[in-house]
Coordinates of all heavy atoms in Angstrom, one line a residue:
M1 N -21.4 2.6 -15.5 CA -20.7 2.4 -14.2 C -19.3 1.9 -14.4 O -19.1 0.9 -15.1 CB -21.5 1.4 -13.3 CG -21.0 1.3 -11.9 SD -22.2 0.2 -11.1 CE -21.5 0.3 -9.5
S2 N -18.3 2.6 -13.9 CA -16.9 2.1 -14.1 C -16.5 1.0 -13.1 O -17.0 1.0 -12.0 CB -16.0 3.3 -14.0 OG -16.0 3.8 -12.7
K3 N -15.6 0.2 -13.6 CA -15.1 -0.8 -12.7 C -14.1 -0.2 -11.7 O -13.2 0.5 -12.1 CB -14.4 -1.9 -13.6 CG -13.9 -3.0 -12.7 CD -13.5 -4.2 -13.6 CE -13.0 -5.3 -12.6 NZ -12.9 -6.5 -13.2
K4 N -14.2 -0.5 -10.5 CA -13.4 0.0 -9.4 C -12.1 -0.8 -9.4 O -12.1 -2.0 -9.6 CB -14.1 0.0 -8.1 CG -15.3 0.8 -8.0 CD -15.0 2.2 -8.0 CE -16.3 3.0 -7.9 NZ -16.1 4.4 -7.7
R5 N -11.0 -0.2 -9.0 CA -9.7 -0.9 -8.8 C -9.8 -1.8 -7.6 O -10.3 -1.4 -6.6 CB -8.6 0.2 -8.6 CG -8.4 1.0 -9.9 CD -7.2 1.8 -9.7 NE -6.1 0.9 -9.7 CZ -4.9 1.2 -10.2 NH1 -4.7 2.3 -10.9 NH2 -3.9 0.3 -10.2
Q6 N -9.2 -3.0 -7.8 CA -9.1 -3.9 -6.7 C -7.6 -4.2 -6.3 O -7.4 -4.8 -5.3 CB -9.8 -5.2 -7.0 CG -11.3 -5.0 -7.2 CD -12.0 -6.3 -7.5 OE1 -11.4 -7.3 -7.7 NE2 -13.3 -6.2 -7.6
T7 N -6.7 -3.7 -7.2 CA -5.3 -3.8 -6.9 C -4.6 -2.5 -7.1 O -5.1 -1.6 -7.8 CB -4.7 -4.9 -7.9 OG1 -4.8 -4.5 -9.2 CG2 -5.3 -6.3 -7.7
L8 N -3.5 -2.4 -6.5 CA -2.6 -1.2 -6.6 C -1.2 -1.6 -6.7 O -0.8 -2.7 -6.3 CB -2.7 -0.3 -5.3 CG -4.1 0.3 -5.0 CD1 -4.0 1.0 -3.7 CD2 -4.4 1.3 -6.1
K9 N -0.4 -0.7 -7.2 CA 1.1 -0.9 -7.2 C 1.7 0.4 -6.9 O 1.2 1.5 -7.2 CB 1.6 -1.5 -8.5 CG 1.5 -0.6 -9.7 CD 2.1 -1.3 -10.9 CE 2.0 -0.4 -12.1 NZ 2.6 -1.0 -13.3
A10 N 2.9 0.3 -6.2 CA 3.6 1.5 -5.9 C 4.4 2.1 -7.0 O 4.9 1.3 -7.9 CB 4.6 1.2 -4.7
T11 N 4.4 3.4 -7.1 CA 5.2 4.0 -8.1 C 6.7 3.9 -7.8 O 7.0 3.7 -6.6 CB 4.8 5.5 -8.2 OG1 5.2 6.2 -7.0 CG2 3.4 5.7 -8.5
P12 N 7.6 4.2 -8.7 CA 9.0 4.2 -8.4 C 9.3 5.2 -7.2 O 10.1 4.8 -6.3 CB 9.7 4.6 -9.7 CG 8.8 4.1 -10.7 CD 7.4 4.3 -10.2
K13 N 8.7 6.4 -7.3 CA 9.0 7.3 -6.2 C 8.4 6.8 -4.9 O 9.0 7.0 -3.8 CB 8.4 8.7 -6.6 CG 8.7 9.8 -5.7 CD 8.3 11.1 -6.3 CE 8.7 12.2 -5.4 NZ 8.4 13.6 -5.9
G14 N 7.2 6.2 -5.0 CA 6.6 5.6 -3.8 C 7.4 4.5 -3.2 O 7.5 4.4 -2.0
L15 N 8.0 3.7 -4.0 CA 8.8 2.6 -3.6 C 10.1 3.1 -2.9 O 10.5 2.6 -1.9 CB 9.3 1.7 -4.7 CG 8.2 0.7 -5.2 CD1 8.7 0.0 -6.5 CD2 7.9 -0.3 -4.2
E16 N 10.6 4.2 -3.4 CA 11.8 4.9 -2.7 C 11.4 5.3 -1.3 O 12.2 5.0 -0.3 CB 12.1 6.1 -3.5 CG 13.6 6.5 -3.5 CD 13.8 7.6 -4.4 OE1 13.8 7.4 -5.7 OE2 14.1 8.7 -3.9
Q17 N 10.3 5.9 -1.1 CA 9.8 6.3 0.2 C 9.5 5.1 1.1 O 9.9 5.1 2.3 CB 8.5 7.1 0.0 CG 8.0 7.7 1.2 CD 6.7 8.6 1.0 OE1 6.3 8.7 -0.1 NE2 6.2 9.1 2.0
A18 N 8.9 4.0 0.5 CA 8.6 2.8 1.3 C 9.9 2.1 1.7 O 10.0 1.6 2.8 CB 7.7 1.9 0.5
E19 N 10.9 2.1 0.8 CA 12.2 1.4 1.1 C 12.9 2.1 2.2 O 13.5 1.5 3.1 CB 13.0 1.2 -0.1 CG 12.5 0.2 -1.1 CD 13.1 0.2 -2.4 OE1 14.0 1.0 -2.7 OE2 12.7 -0.7 -3.2
K20 N 12.9 3.4 2.2 CA 13.5 4.2 3.3 C 12.8 3.9 4.7 O 13.5 3.7 5.7 CB 13.4 5.7 3.0 CG 14.4 6.2 2.0 CD 14.2 7.6 1.7 CE 15.1 8.1 0.6 NZ 14.9 9.5 0.3
A21 N 11.5 3.8 4.7 CA 10.8 3.5 5.9 C 11.1 2.1 6.3 O 11.2 1.8 7.5 CB 9.3 3.7 5.7
L22 N 11.2 1.1 5.4 CA 11.5 -0.2 5.7 C 12.8 -0.4 6.4 O 12.9 -1.0 7.5 CB 11.5 -1.1 4.4 CG 12.0 -2.5 4.6 CD1 10.9 -3.4 5.3 CD2 12.3 -3.1 3.2
K23 N 13.8 0.3 5.8 CA 15.2 0.2 6.4 C 15.2 0.8 7.8 O 15.8 0.3 8.7 CB 16.2 0.9 5.5 CG 16.5 0.0 4.3 CD 17.5 0.7 3.3 CE 17.6 -0.2 2.1 NZ 18.4 0.4 1.1
R24 N 14.5 2.0 7.9 CA 14.5 2.7 9.2 C 13.8 1.9 10.3 O 14.2 1.8 11.4 CB 13.8 4.0 9.0 CG 13.7 4.9 10.2 CD 13.2 6.3 9.9 NE 12.1 6.4 9.0 CZ 10.8 6.3 9.4 NH1 10.5 6.1 10.6 NH2 9.8 6.3 8.5
L25 N 12.6 1.3 10.0 CA 11.8 0.6 11.0 C 12.1 -0.9 11.2 O 11.9 -1.4 12.3 CB 10.3 0.8 10.6 CG 9.8 2.3 10.6 CD1 8.4 2.3 9.9 CD2 9.8 2.8 12.0
H26 N 12.4 -1.6 10.1 CA 12.5 -3.0 10.1 C 13.7 -3.6 9.6 O 14.0 -4.8 9.8 CB 11.3 -3.6 9.4 CG 9.9 -3.2 9.9 ND1 9.4 -3.7 11.1 CD2 9.1 -2.2 9.5 CE1 8.2 -3.1 11.3 NE2 8.0 -2.2 10.4
G27 N 14.5 -2.9 8.9 CA 15.8 -3.4 8.4 C 15.7 -4.1 7.1 O 16.1 -3.7 6.0
T28 N 15.0 -5.3 7.1 CA 14.9 -6.1 5.9 C 13.5 -6.5 5.6 O 12.6 -6.4 6.5 CB 15.7 -7.4 6.1 OG1 15.1 -8.2 7.2 CG2 17.2 -7.2 6.5
Q29 N 13.2 -7.0 4.4 CA 11.9 -7.4 4.1 C 11.5 -8.7 4.9 O 10.4 -8.8 5.3 CB 11.8 -7.8 2.6 CG 11.8 -6.6 1.7 CD 11.6 -6.9 0.2 OE1 11.0 -8.0 -0.1 NE2 12.1 -6.1 -0.7
L30 N 12.5 -9.5 5.2 CA 12.2 -10.7 6.0 C 11.7 -10.3 7.4 O 10.7 -10.8 7.9 CB 13.4 -11.6 6.1 CG 13.2 -12.9 6.9 CD1 12.1 -13.7 6.3 CD2 14.5 -13.7 6.9
S31 N 12.4 -9.4 8.0 CA 12.0 -8.9 9.3 C 10.6 -8.2 9.3 O 9.8 -8.4 10.2 CB 13.1 -7.9 9.8 OG 12.6 -7.3 11.0
F32 N 10.4 -7.5 8.2 CA 9.1 -6.9 8.0 C 8.0 -7.9 7.8 O 6.9 -7.8 8.4 CB 9.2 -5.9 6.8 CG 8.0 -5.1 6.6 CD1 7.4 -4.3 7.6 CD2 7.4 -5.0 5.3 CE1 6.3 -3.5 7.4 CE2 6.3 -4.2 5.1 CZ 5.7 -3.5 6.1
A33 N 8.3 -8.9 7.0 CA 7.3 -10.0 6.8 C 7.0 -10.7 8.2 O 5.9 -11.1 8.4 CB 7.9 -11.0 5.8
N34 N 8.0 -10.9 9.0 CA 7.8 -11.5 10.3 C 6.9 -10.6 11.2 O 6.0 -11.1 11.9 CB 9.1 -11.8 11.0 CG 9.8 -13.0 10.4 OD1 9.3 -13.8 9.7 ND2 11.1 -13.0 10.5
Y35 N 7.1 -9.3 11.1 CA 6.3 -8.3 11.8 C 4.8 -8.4 11.4 O 3.9 -8.3 12.2 CB 6.9 -6.9 11.6 CG 6.1 -5.8 12.2 CD1 6.1 -5.5 13.5 CD2 5.3 -5.0 11.4 CE1 5.4 -4.5 14.1 CE2 4.6 -4.0 11.9 CZ 4.6 -3.7 13.3 OH 3.9 -2.7 13.8
L36 N 4.6 -8.6 10.1 CA 3.2 -8.6 9.5 C 2.7 -10.0 9.4 O 1.7 -10.2 8.7 CB 3.2 -7.9 8.1 CG 3.3 -6.4 8.2 CD1 3.3 -5.8 6.8 CD2 2.1 -5.8 8.9
A37 N 3.4 -11.0 9.9 CA 2.9 -12.4 9.8 C 1.4 -12.5 10.2 O 1.0 -12.0 11.2 CB 3.8 -13.3 10.7
G38 N 0.7 -13.2 9.4 CA -0.8 -13.4 9.6 C -1.6 -12.3 9.1 O -2.8 -12.4 9.0
V39 N -1.0 -11.2 8.7 CA -1.7 -10.0 8.1 C -1.5 -9.9 6.6 O -2.4 -9.8 5.8 CB -1.4 -8.7 8.9 CG1 -2.1 -7.5 8.3 CG2 -1.7 -8.8 10.3
V40 N -0.2 -9.9 6.3 CA 0.3 -9.9 4.9 C 1.4 -10.9 4.7 O 2.3 -11.0 5.5 CB 0.9 -8.4 4.6 CG1 1.3 -8.4 3.1 CG2 -0.2 -7.4 4.8
G41 N 1.2 -11.7 3.7 CA 2.2 -12.7 3.4 C 3.5 -12.2 2.8 O 3.6 -11.1 2.2
R42 N 4.6 -13.0 3.0 CA 5.9 -12.6 2.5 C 5.9 -12.4 1.0 O 6.5 -11.4 0.5 CB 6.9 -13.7 2.9 CG 8.3 -13.2 2.7 CD 9.4 -14.1 3.2 NE 9.0 -15.4 3.7 CZ 9.8 -16.3 4.2 NH1 11.1 -16.0 4.4 NH2 9.4 -17.5 4.5
S43 N 5.3 -13.2 0.2 CA 5.2 -13.0 -1.2 C 4.5 -11.7 -1.6 O 4.9 -11.0 -2.6 CB 4.6 -14.2 -1.9 OG 3.2 -14.3 -1.6
T44 N 3.5 -11.3 -0.9 CA 2.8 -10.1 -1.2 C 3.8 -8.9 -0.9 O 3.8 -7.9 -1.6 CB 1.5 -10.0 -0.3 OG1 0.7 -11.1 -0.7 CG2 0.8 -8.7 -0.6
I45 N 4.5 -9.0 0.2 CA 5.5 -7.9 0.6 C 6.5 -7.8 -0.5 O 6.9 -6.7 -1.0 CB 6.1 -8.2 1.9 CG1 5.0 -8.0 3.0 CG2 7.3 -7.3 2.2 CD1 5.4 -8.5 4.4
Q46 N 7.0 -9.0 -1.0 CA 8.0 -9.0 -2.1 C 7.4 -8.3 -3.4 O 8.1 -7.5 -4.0 CB 8.4 -10.4 -2.4 CG 9.3 -11.0 -1.4 CD 9.6 -12.4 -1.7 OE1 8.8 -13.2 -2.2 NE2 10.8 -12.9 -1.2
K47 N 6.2 -8.6 -3.7 CA 5.5 -8.0 -4.9 C 5.4 -6.5 -4.7 O 5.6 -5.7 -5.6 CB 4.1 -8.6 -5.1 CG 4.2 -10.0 -5.6 CD 2.7 -10.5 -5.8 CE 2.7 -11.9 -6.3 NZ 1.4 -12.5 -6.5
F48 N 5.0 -6.1 -3.5 CA 4.9 -4.6 -3.2 C 6.2 -3.9 -3.5 O 6.3 -2.9 -4.2 CB 4.5 -4.4 -1.8 CG 4.5 -3.0 -1.3 CD1 3.4 -2.2 -1.5 CD2 5.7 -2.4 -0.8 CE1 3.4 -0.9 -1.1 CE2 5.7 -1.0 -0.4 CZ 4.5 -0.3 -0.6
F49 N 7.3 -4.5 -3.0 CA 8.6 -3.8 -3.2 C 9.2 -4.0 -4.6 O 10.2 -3.4 -4.9 CB 9.6 -4.3 -2.1 CG 9.3 -3.6 -0.8 CD1 8.7 -4.3 0.3 CD2 9.7 -2.3 -0.6 CE1 8.4 -3.7 1.5 CE2 9.4 -1.6 0.6 CZ 8.8 -2.3 1.7
Q50 N 8.6 -4.9 -5.4 CA 9.0 -5.1 -6.8 C 8.2 -4.2 -7.7 O 8.3 -4.2 -8.9 CB 8.9 -6.5 -7.2 CG 9.9 -7.4 -6.5 CD 9.7 -8.9 -6.8 OE1 8.7 -9.3 -7.3 NE2 10.6 -9.7 -6.3
G51 N 7.2 -3.5 -7.1 CA 6.4 -2.6 -7.9 C 5.3 -3.3 -8.6 O 4.7 -2.8 -9.6
Q52 N 4.9 -4.5 -8.2 CA 3.9 -5.3 -8.8 C 2.5 -5.0 -8.1 O 2.5 -4.5 -7.0 CB 4.2 -6.8 -8.7 CG 5.4 -7.2 -9.4 CD 5.7 -8.7 -9.3 OE1 4.8 -9.5 -9.0 NE2 7.0 -9.1 -9.5
E53 N 1.5 -5.3 -8.8 CA 0.1 -5.1 -8.2 C -0.2 -6.1 -7.1 O 0.1 -7.3 -7.3 CB -0.9 -5.2 -9.3 CG -0.8 -4.0 -10.3 CD -2.0 -3.6 -11.0 OE1 -3.1 -4.3 -10.8 OE2 -2.0 -2.7 -11.8
I54 N -0.8 -5.5 -6.1 CA -1.3 -6.4 -5.0 C -2.7 -5.8 -4.6 O -3.1 -4.8 -5.0 CB -0.3 -6.4 -3.7 CG1 -0.2 -4.9 -3.2 CG2 1.0 -7.0 -4.1 CD1 0.6 -4.9 -1.9
K55 N -3.4 -6.6 -3.8 CA -4.7 -6.2 -3.4 C -4.7 -4.9 -2.5 O -3.7 -4.7 -1.8 CB -5.4 -7.3 -2.6 CG -5.8 -8.5 -3.4 CD -6.5 -9.5 -2.6 CE -6.9 -10.7 -3.5 NZ -7.8 -11.7 -2.9
V56 N -5.7 -4.1 -2.7 CA -5.8 -2.8 -2.1 C -5.6 -2.9 -0.5 O -4.9 -2.2 0.1 CB -7.1 -2.1 -2.4 CG1 -7.3 -0.9 -1.6 CG2 -7.1 -1.8 -3.9
D57 N -6.3 -3.8 0.1 CA -6.3 -3.9 1.5 C -4.9 -4.3 2.0 O -4.4 -3.8 3.0 CB -7.3 -4.9 2.1 CG -7.2 -6.3 1.6 OD1 -6.7 -6.5 0.5 OD2 -7.6 -7.2 2.3
K58 N -4.2 -5.1 1.3 CA -2.8 -5.5 1.6 C -1.8 -4.3 1.4 O -0.9 -4.1 2.2 CB -2.3 -6.7 0.9 CG -3.2 -7.9 1.0 CD -3.3 -8.4 2.5 CE -4.1 -9.6 2.6 NZ -4.4 -9.9 4.0
F59 N -2.1 -3.6 0.3 CA -1.3 -2.4 0.1 C -1.4 -1.4 1.2 O -0.4 -0.9 1.7 CB -1.8 -1.7 -1.2 CG -0.9 -0.6 -1.8 CD1 0.0 -0.9 -2.7 CD2 -1.1 0.7 -1.3 CE1 0.8 0.2 -3.2 CE2 -0.3 1.7 -1.8 CZ 0.6 1.5 -2.7
K60 N -2.6 -1.2 1.7 CA -2.8 -0.3 2.8 C -2.2 -0.8 4.1 O -1.7 0.0 4.9 CB -4.3 0.0 2.9 CG -4.9 0.8 1.8 CD -6.4 0.9 1.8 CE -7.0 1.5 3.0 NZ -8.4 1.7 2.9
E61 N -2.3 -2.1 4.3 CA -1.7 -2.7 5.5 C -0.2 -2.5 5.5 O 0.4 -2.1 6.6 CB -2.0 -4.1 5.7 CG -3.4 -4.4 6.1 CD -3.7 -4.1 7.5 OE1 -2.8 -3.9 8.3 OE2 -4.9 -3.9 7.8
I62 N 0.5 -2.7 4.4 CA 1.9 -2.5 4.3 C 2.3 -1.0 4.5 O 3.2 -0.7 5.3 CB 2.4 -2.9 2.9 CG1 2.4 -4.4 2.8 CG2 3.8 -2.4 2.6 CD1 2.6 -5.0 1.4
C63 N 1.5 -0.1 3.9 CA 1.8 1.3 4.2 C 1.6 1.7 5.6 O 2.4 2.4 6.2 CB 0.9 2.2 3.3 SG 1.3 2.1 1.5
K64 N 0.6 1.2 6.2 CA 0.3 1.4 7.7 C 1.5 0.9 8.5 O 1.9 1.6 9.4 CB -1.0 0.8 8.1 CG -1.4 1.0 9.5 CD -2.7 0.3 9.8 CE -3.1 0.5 11.3 NZ -4.4 -0.2 11.6
A65 N 1.9 -0.3 8.2 CA 3.0 -0.8 9.0 C 4.3 -0.1 8.8 O 5.2 -0.1 9.7 CB 3.2 -2.3 8.7
L66 N 4.4 0.6 7.7 CA 5.6 1.4 7.4 C 5.4 2.9 7.9 O 6.2 3.7 7.6 CB 6.0 1.4 5.9 CG 6.4 0.1 5.3 CD1 6.5 0.2 3.8 CD2 7.7 -0.3 5.9
T67 N 4.4 3.1 8.6 CA 4.0 4.4 9.1 C 3.8 5.4 8.0 O 4.1 6.6 8.1 CB 4.9 5.0 10.2 OG1 6.2 5.3 9.6 CG2 5.1 4.1 11.4
L68 N 3.3 4.9 6.9 CA 3.0 5.8 5.7 C 1.5 5.8 5.4 O 1.2 6.0 4.2 CB 3.8 5.2 4.5 CG 5.3 5.2 4.6 CD1 6.0 4.5 3.4 CD2 5.9 6.6 4.7
E69 N 0.7 5.5 6.3 CA -0.7 5.4 6.1 C -1.3 6.6 5.5 O -2.3 6.6 4.7 CB -1.5 4.9 7.3 CG -1.4 5.8 8.5 CD -0.4 5.4 9.5 OE1 0.7 4.9 9.1 OE2 -0.6 5.5 10.7
S70 N -0.8 7.8 5.9 CA -1.3 9.0 5.3 C -0.8 9.3 3.9 O -1.4 10.2 3.2 CB -1.0 10.2 6.3 OG 0.4 10.4 6.3
D71 N 0.1 8.5 3.5 CA 0.7 8.7 2.1 C 0.4 7.6 1.1 O 0.9 7.6 0.0 CB 2.2 8.8 2.2 CG 2.7 10.1 3.0 OD1 2.0 11.1 3.0 OD2 3.7 10.0 3.7
W72 N -0.5 6.7 1.5 CA -0.7 5.5 0.6 C -1.2 5.9 -0.7 O -0.8 5.3 -1.7 CB -1.6 4.5 1.3 CG -3.0 4.9 1.4 CD1 -3.6 5.5 2.4 CD2 -4.0 4.6 0.5 NE1 -4.9 5.7 2.2 CE2 -5.2 5.2 1.0 CE3 -4.1 4.0 -0.8 CZ2 -6.4 5.1 0.3 CZ3 -5.3 4.0 -1.5 CH2 -6.4 4.5 -0.9
E73 N -2.0 6.9 -0.8 CA -2.5 7.3 -2.2 C -1.4 7.9 -3.0 O -1.4 7.7 -4.2 CB -3.7 8.3 -2.0 CG -4.9 7.7 -1.4 CD -6.0 8.7 -1.2 OE1 -5.7 9.8 -0.6 OE2 -7.2 8.5 -1.5
V74 N -0.5 8.7 -2.4 CA 0.6 9.2 -3.1 C 1.6 8.1 -3.6 O 2.1 8.1 -4.7 CB 1.4 10.2 -2.2 CG1 2.7 10.7 -2.9 CG2 0.5 11.4 -1.8
I75 N 1.8 7.1 -2.7 CA 2.7 6.0 -3.0 C 2.1 5.2 -4.2 O 2.9 4.8 -5.1 CB 2.9 5.1 -1.8 CG1 3.7 5.9 -0.8 CG2 3.5 3.8 -2.2 CD1 3.7 5.2 0.6
A76 N 0.8 5.1 -4.3 CA 0.2 4.4 -5.4 C -0.2 5.4 -6.6 O -0.7 5.0 -7.6 CB -1.1 3.7 -5.0
D77 N 0.1 6.7 -6.4 CA -0.2 7.7 -7.4 C -1.7 7.7 -7.7 O -2.1 7.8 -8.9 CB 0.6 7.5 -8.7 CG 0.6 8.8 -9.6 OD1 0.4 9.9 -9.0 OD2 0.8 8.6 -10.8
L78 N -2.5 7.7 -6.7 CA -4.0 7.8 -6.8 C -4.5 9.2 -6.5 O -5.7 9.4 -6.5 CB -4.6 6.8 -5.8 CG -4.6 5.4 -6.2 CD1 -5.4 4.6 -5.1 CD2 -5.2 5.1 -7.5
T79 N -3.7 10.1 -6.3 CA -4.1 11.5 -5.8 C -5.1 12.1 -6.8 O -5.9 12.9 -6.5 CB -2.9 12.4 -5.5 OG1 -2.1 12.4 -6.6 CG2 -2.2 11.9 -4.3
D80 N -4.9 11.8 -8.1 CA -5.7 12.4 -9.1 C -6.9 11.6 -9.5 O -7.8 12.0 -10.3 CB -4.9 12.7 -10.4 CG -3.9 13.8 -10.2 OD1 -4.1 14.7 -9.3 OD2 -2.9 13.8 -10.9
F81 N -7.0 10.3 -9.0 CA -8.0 9.4 -9.4 C -8.6 8.6 -8.3 O -8.8 7.4 -8.3 CB -7.4 8.3 -10.4 CG -6.7 8.9 -11.6 CD1 -5.3 9.0 -11.6 CD2 -7.3 9.5 -12.6 CE1 -4.6 9.5 -12.6 CE2 -6.6 10.1 -13.7 CZ -5.3 10.1 -13.7
P82 N -9.0 9.3 -7.2 CA -9.6 8.6 -6.0 C -10.9 7.8 -6.3 O -11.2 6.9 -5.7 CB -9.8 9.7 -5.0 CG -9.9 10.9 -5.8 CD -9.0 10.7 -7.0
D83 N -11.6 8.2 -7.4 CA -12.9 7.6 -7.7 C -12.7 6.2 -8.3 O -13.6 5.5 -8.5 CB -13.8 8.5 -8.6 CG -13.1 8.8 -9.9 OD1 -11.8 8.9 -9.9 OD2 -13.8 9.0 -10.9
Q84 N -11.5 5.9 -8.7 CA -11.2 4.6 -9.3 C -10.8 3.5 -8.3 O -10.5 2.4 -8.6 CB -10.0 4.7 -10.3 CG -10.4 5.5 -11.5 CD -9.2 5.6 -12.5 OE1 -8.2 5.0 -12.3 NE2 -9.5 6.3 -13.6
F85 N -10.9 3.9 -7.1 CA -10.4 3.0 -6.0 C -11.6 2.3 -5.4 O -12.6 2.9 -5.1 CB -9.7 3.9 -4.9 CG -9.2 3.1 -3.8 CD1 -8.1 2.3 -3.9 CD2 -9.9 3.1 -2.6 CE1 -7.6 1.5 -2.8 CE2 -9.4 2.4 -1.5 CZ -8.3 1.6 -1.6
D86 N -11.5 1.0 -5.2 CA -12.5 0.2 -4.6 C -12.4 0.1 -3.1 O -11.6 -0.7 -2.6 CB -12.5 -1.2 -5.2 CG -13.7 -2.1 -4.8 OD1 -14.7 -1.5 -4.3 OD2 -13.6 -3.3 -4.9
F87 N -13.0 1.0 -2.3 CA -13.0 1.0 -0.9 C -13.8 -0.2 -0.4 O -14.9 -0.4 -0.9 CB -13.5 2.3 -0.3 CG -12.6 3.5 -0.6 CD1 -12.9 4.3 -1.7 CD2 -11.5 3.7 0.1 CE1 -12.1 5.3 -2.0 CE2 -10.7 4.8 -0.2 CZ -11.0 5.6 -1.2
P88 N -13.3 -0.9 0.6 CA -14.0 -2.1 1.1 C -15.5 -1.8 1.5 O -16.4 -2.6 1.3 CB -13.2 -2.6 2.3 CG -11.8 -2.1 2.0 CD -12.0 -0.8 1.3
D89 N -15.7 -0.7 2.2 CA -17.1 -0.4 2.6 C -17.8 0.6 1.7 O -18.7 1.3 2.0 CB -17.1 0.1 4.0 CG -16.2 1.4 4.2 OD1 -15.6 1.8 3.2 OD2 -16.1 1.8 5.3
N90 N -17.2 0.8 0.5 CA -17.7 1.8 -0.5 C -17.7 3.2 0.0 O -18.4 4.0 -0.6 CB -19.1 1.4 -1.0 CG -19.1 0.1 -1.8 OD1 -18.1 -0.2 -2.5 ND2 -20.1 -0.7 -1.6
Q91 N -16.9 3.5 1.0 CA -16.7 4.8 1.5 C -15.2 5.2 1.5 O -14.5 4.4 2.1 CB -17.3 5.0 2.9 CG -18.8 4.7 2.9 CD -19.6 5.8 2.2 OE1 -19.2 7.0 2.3 NE2 -20.6 5.4 1.5
P92 N -14.8 6.3 1.1 CA -13.4 6.7 1.2 C -13.1 6.9 2.7 O -14.0 7.2 3.5 CB -13.3 8.0 0.4 CG -14.7 8.5 0.3 CD -15.6 7.3 0.4
P93 N -11.8 6.7 3.1 CA -11.5 7.0 4.4 C -11.7 8.4 4.8 O -11.5 9.3 4.0 CB -10.0 6.6 4.5 CG -9.5 6.5 3.1 CD -10.7 6.3 2.2
K94 N -12.0 8.7 6.0 CA -12.2 10.0 6.6 C -10.9 10.6 7.0 O -10.1 9.9 7.6 CB -13.2 10.0 7.7 CG -14.6 9.6 7.3 CD -15.5 9.6 8.5 CE -17.0 9.4 8.1 NZ -17.3 8.3 7.3
N95 N -10.6 11.8 6.6 CA -9.4 12.5 7.0 C -8.2 11.8 6.6 O -7.1 11.9 7.2 CB -9.4 12.7 8.6 CG -10.5 13.5 9.1 OD1 -11.0 14.4 8.3 ND2 -10.9 13.3 10.3
G96 N -8.2 11.1 5.5 CA -7.1 10.4 4.9 C -6.6 9.2 5.7 O -5.5 8.7 5.5
S97 N -7.3 8.8 6.7 CA -6.9 7.6 7.5 C -7.3 6.3 6.9 O -8.2 6.3 6.1 CB -7.4 7.8 8.9 OG -8.8 7.7 8.9
L98 N -6.7 5.3 7.3 CA -7.0 3.9 6.8 C -8.1 3.5 7.7 O -8.8 2.7 7.8 CB -5.8 3.0 6.9 CG -4.7 3.4 6.0 CD1 -3.5 2.5 6.1 CD2 -5.1 3.5 4.6

């Protein structure tokens, strides 16, 4: 039995996409952190945008808040390896939704 992933990081191309969405929707990381207060911490948001690993659920929350929820697997470059992902309920999302 293989160990499932519990953390993800955005690829350089994924970060480019996320940064465009950030600027368009929220302007700055600080404004975005205020928007996600209580859901995702500021340091986690900073790690995401620095391309560092963060917990899967937080990664998905960030993508959702950036209206990239349908692209989160692409941003993390998981499109070829979905079986390595640790889904909270052990079920992949239906129709690509979070």
Side-chain angles (χ1 to χ4, degrees):
M1 183 175 189
S2 66
K3 183 171 179 163
K4 300 286 185 177
R5 294 188 67 138
Q6 295 181 358
T7 60
L8 295 173
K9 67 179 180 178
T11 64
K13 190 171 183 175
L15 283 174
E16 209 175 290
Q17 188 177 358
E19 287 170 359
K20 285 180 185 176
L22 172 72
K23 287 179 184 172
R24 179 173 44 87
L25 297 169
H26 302 282
T28 65
Q29 285 185 30
L30 181 58
S31 174
F32 187 51
N34 290 336
Y35 175 78
L36 285 175
V39 178
V40 179
R42 192 170 13 180
S43 65
T44 301
I45 292 168
Q46 288 173 329
K47 286 180 183 179
F48 174 89
F49 284 104
Q50 291 170 354
Q52 297 179 21
E53 294 207 357
I54 61 172
K55 291 184 177 185
V56 170
D57 60 331
K58 302 302 181 187
F59 189 95
K60 289 170 62 177
E61 286 292 339
I62 290 170
C63 289
K64 182 178 177 182
L66 292 171
T67 66
L68 299 172
E69 61 264 37
S70 62
D71 295 331
W72 71 270
E73 290 175 314
V74 174
I75 292 168
D77 196 25
L78 284 181
T79 53
D80 293 332
F81 308 103
D83 59 328
Q84 293 182 1
F85 181 73
D86 186 20
F87 293 96
D89 58 2
N90 293 325
Q91 295 294 320
K94 292 180 175 54
N95 300 329
S97 65
L98 298 177

